[in-house]
């Protein structure tokens, strides 16, 4: 009886994951070279995240965006290194979208960075494949802007916590563009989620247009990160 109950719970969990994520047909296994942005999504429980679901819904069908859902494509953490390196080379804008987990990325995104951004490909001798491309990080956080402050409960600002990714971008020759951050994600109501989604799509479209001009790369400096609050 216990085994039967466990199987039913496992089946329901799998069904929820399937329903909450974009249809598999929208995830291109071989990205069209004409698309500009590779959106690498890393959320282990997307069915429980209304904000990340709203953000993805706003951009996943954009004709210049290739969605790569790591937890859907690699549930066993076995990453197709060669395939993902080809994906990176084929796009000029790389987007990492994830929730802040313990002041860092979800585990699979860290594994993906370790496995794919190899010496000789992304850095080191001959590792020039990513140079000149632009990196945008899109982060959701349950805490407010005041929480991510020297006097706040998290002590450090979001910009400080993202330094390892900024350093990664620097090492790989990627252009670091200020992150898109959604704070107070748990408290955001429908109106707030809609505003965040619209701002995300607008930011992405602006970067796609900016990175299409080789003589005018996306700006490294920006007045301030994009902060969306309810």
């Amino acid at each position: 009886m216990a085994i039967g109950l466990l199987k039913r719970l496992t089946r329901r969990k799998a069904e929820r994951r399937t329903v909450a994520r974009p249809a598999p047909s929208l995830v291109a296994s071989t990205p069209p070279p004409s698309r500009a942005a590779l959106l690498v999504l890393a959320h282990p429980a997307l069915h429980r995240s209304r904000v990340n679901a709203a953000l993805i819904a706003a951009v996943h069908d954009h004709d210049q965006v290739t969605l790569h859902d790591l937890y859907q494509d690699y549930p066993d953490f076995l990453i197709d290194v060669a395939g993902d390196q080809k994906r990176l080379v084929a796009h000029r804008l790389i987007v990492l979208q994830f929730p802040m987990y313990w002041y860092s990325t979800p585990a699979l995104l860290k594994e993906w960075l370790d496995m794919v951004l190899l010496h000789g490909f992304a850095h080191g001798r001959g590792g020039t494949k990513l140079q000149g491309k632009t990196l945008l990080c899109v982060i959701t956080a349950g805490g407010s802007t005041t929480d991510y402050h020297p006097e706040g409960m998290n002590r450090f600002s979001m910009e400080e916590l993202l330094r390892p990714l900024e350093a990664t971008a620097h090492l790989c020759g990627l252009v670091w563009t200020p992150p898109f951050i959604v704070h107070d994600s748990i408290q955001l109501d429908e109106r707030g989620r809609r505003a965040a989604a619209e701002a995300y799509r607008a930011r992405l479209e602006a970067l796609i247009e900016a990175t299409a001009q080789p003589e005018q790369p996306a700006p490294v400096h920006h007045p301030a990160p994009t902060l969306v609050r309810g």
Side-chain angles (χ1 to χ4, degrees), residues 29 44 73 80 89 92 97 106 114 116 133 169 181 194 214:
S29 58
D73 296 346
D80 177 5
V89 170
R92 60 180 183 271
Q97 180 181 331
D114 291 345
V116 177
K133 299 180 184 294
I181 305 170
R194 186 166 58 250

Side-chain angles (χ1 to χ4, degrees), residues 161-193:
L161 295 173
L162 292 174
R163 291 298 185 206
L165 288 173
E166 186 174 359
T168 300
H170 174 74
L171 181 66
C172 297
L174 289 158
V175 177
W176 174 261
T177 191
F180 181 93
I181 305 170
V182 181
H183 282 286
D184 294 320
S185 60
I186 299 174
Q187 285 76 35
L188 274 188
D189 58 14
E190 183 177 352
R191 181 178 179 183
R193 293 193 296 273

Side-chain angles (χ1 to χ4, degrees), residues 75-197:
D76 50 9
F77 276 51
L78 296 177
I79 294 168
D80 177 5
V81 175
D84 282 356
Q85 288 180 342
K86 290 179 181 176
R87 287 187 175 95
L88 289 170
V89 170
H91 298 79
R92 60 180 183 271
L93 171 62
I94 300 164
V95 182
L96 304 180
Q97 180 181 331
F98 58 94
M100 182 64 78
Y101 271 24
W102 284 106
Y103 311 113
S104 185
T105 66
L108 183 52
L109 180 54
K110 179 60 169 63
E111 175 76 359
W112 185 84
L113 292 169
D114 291 345
M115 297 297 295
V116 177
L117 304 187
L118 295 177
H119 184 280
F121 170 76
H123 62 94
R125 179 174 296 180
T128 60
K129 299 296 190 296
L130 302 183
Q131 287 190 1
K133 299 180 184 294
T134 298
L135 177 65
L136 170 67
C137 287
V138 178
I139 303 104
T140 56
S144 66
T145 54
T146 55
D147 290 334
Y148 290 91
H149 185 273
E151 304 300 324
M153 63 178 293
N154 294 315
R155 189 173 181 180
F156 300 99
S157 70
M158 188 66 81
E159 291 70 34
E160 290 175 300
L161 295 173
L162 292 174
R163 291 298 185 206
L165 288 173
E166 186 174 359
T168 300
H170 174 74
L171 181 66
C172 297
L174 289 158
V175 177
W176 174 261
T177 191
F180 181 93
I181 305 170
V182 181
H183 282 286
D184 294 320
S185 60
I186 299 174
Q187 285 76 35
L188 274 188
D189 58 14
E190 183 177 352
R191 181 178 179 183
R193 293 193 296 273
R194 186 166 58 250

Side-chain angles (χ1 to χ4, degrees), residues 72 169 209:
Q72 176 173 274
E209 182 177 356

